[in-house]
Amino acid sequence: AAAGFDSKLTTRLRTARMHLGSAERLPVWVYLQERATAARGTPAIPTTLVSPRSLQRRAKVRPAGRLVDATDLPLDPGAVRQVVAVAGPVRQRSRWLNAVSVDATRDELDAVARLGCVRRVDLVGRYRRNGTETWGEAPHVPPPAPPSPRAKPGAPPAVQTLDYGSSLNQVQLIGVPALHDQGLSGQGVLIGHFDDGYHRFGHQAFASMQVVAQYDFVDHDADPVGGTSEFIGVHGVQTLSVLGGYAPGNLIGPAYGASYLLARTEDDAS
């Protein structure tokens, strides 16, 4: 195997490069050997590397002395500079993977793999729609009748205090109305929603949604709508509405009281 490539990756990279012209670029992940030296040399990993909210969340499942670990350390800037010097600008950085992605030519790919700071190189995964797939309106299927509640003998019938409209069946299946009746609707919870964009976000189901931050990781801007096509971002608003939409009489999602981070991470054009 070439230096810097895991043996099982070599075949994949060789196959991709066979069809790559000398000036063409291949998107790859470059995994680094070490984390930032300055941070790694400290007696303990500082908790300031993550947000207070993250520390609070981790405290629910981790021991007090292990709220942060090596995966929270930043990328080694010196290693990143070495990669950039060989293969040009960074496409994306991932602290969690300890890696950067770049577009590299065949020669740059070999040069990056020989760097001492590089652990391994892998192709950026790409998936494309079936060419025969068509966009169109889904056929209308009437919603099934809501199931009868399983009440104990002699117990009064269950009464929902919220008007779920046609979404009653789906929330009943997972016991949501009983939780809503106790005042539990996601308040204080921060939910990250990753999808293909948020076209039609002006719908009434989102009028009361608390969005604290949003970003488009496809177009690299602060607007996650995702273009002007009526089809881009449809899946995003569909799944988001099921999760946290609030339109009494039509649809109420389980976590309508939560706060949301919206991220466009999927490209409908591919």
Side-chain angles (χ1 to χ4, degrees):
F5 296 163
D6 286 350
S7 58
K8 59 184 177 181
L9 299 176
T10 304
T11 300
R12 289 180 58 199
L13 292 169
R14 182 185 297 122
T15 301
R17 291 162 64 204
M18 283 175 56
H19 305 286
L20 193 67
S22 60
E24 293 181 83
R25 295 184 174 276
L26 190 69
V28 295
W29 278 109
V30 180
Y31 293 84
L32 305 176
Q33 292 282 8
E34 301 289 351
R35 299 279 176 167
T37 304
R40 193 176 64 251
T42 57
I45 299 174
T47 57
T48 53
L49 289 172
V50 299
S51 69
R53 181 184 285 272
S54 291
L55 294 176
Q56 184 180 25
R57 183 180 65 249
R58 295 178 185 195
K60 298 178 182 179
V61 294
R62 291 189 183 185
R66 295 173 53 195
L67 297 184
V68 293
D69 57 32
T71 62
D72 296 307
L73 292 172
L75 300 179
D76 184 344
V80 174
R81 285 195 294 270
Q82 290 185 57
V83 174
V84 170
V86 172
V90 169
R91 301 171 73 249
Q92 297 287 352
R93 299 168 182 256
S94 173
R95 178 174 52 170
W96 312 115
L97 298 178
N98 193 28
V100 295
S101 65
V102 297
D103 290 319
T105 65
R106 288 184 298 181
D107 291 341
E108 290 170 347
L109 197 60
D110 291 329
V112 165
R114 289 194 295 268
L115 293 174
C117 63
V118 172
R119 179 162 52 92
R120 65 186 180 94
V121 180
D122 195 1
L123 290 171
V124 170
R126 286 184 166 183
Y127 306 89
R128 296 193 179 277
R129 286 198 306 265
N130 184 330
T132 62
E133 182 179 347
T134 59
W135 291 99
E137 293 295 330
H140 174 70
V141 179
S148 300
R150 295 180 180 178
K152 295 180 179 179
V159 177
Q160 273 82 42
T161 58
L162 296 176
D163 185 357
Y164 295 92
S166 60
S167 66
L168 176 61
N169 181 50
Q170 64 199 43
V171 293
Q172 277 186 328
L173 288 173
I174 54 176
V176 167
L179 299 178
H180 283 173
D181 287 346
Q182 296 177 43
L184 302 176
S185 63
Q187 293 95 335
V189 177
L190 180 64
I191 297 176
H193 188 268
F194 302 80
D195 215 299
D196 68 345
Y198 302 94
H199 193 60
R200 305 174 188 167
F201 189 72
H203 192 278
Q204 62 173 340
F206 305 111
S208 61
M209 179 171 285
Q210 300 298 313
V211 177
V212 299
Q214 54 189 17
Y215 194 76
D216 187 329
F217 288 92
V218 177
D219 293 337
H220 306 287
D221 59 43
D223 183 3
V225 170
T228 58
S229 169
E230 64 175 312
F231 299 118
I232 292 178
V234 171
H235 188 268
V237 293
Q238 288 174 337
T239 57
L240 182 63
S241 67
V242 170
L243 177 61
Y246 187 78
N250 293 287
L251 178 146
I252 295 180
Y256 67 85
S259 298
Y260 287 85
L261 301 169
L262 305 184
R264 181 186 176 217
T265 57
E266 316 306 317
D267 185 359
D268 284 333
S270 67

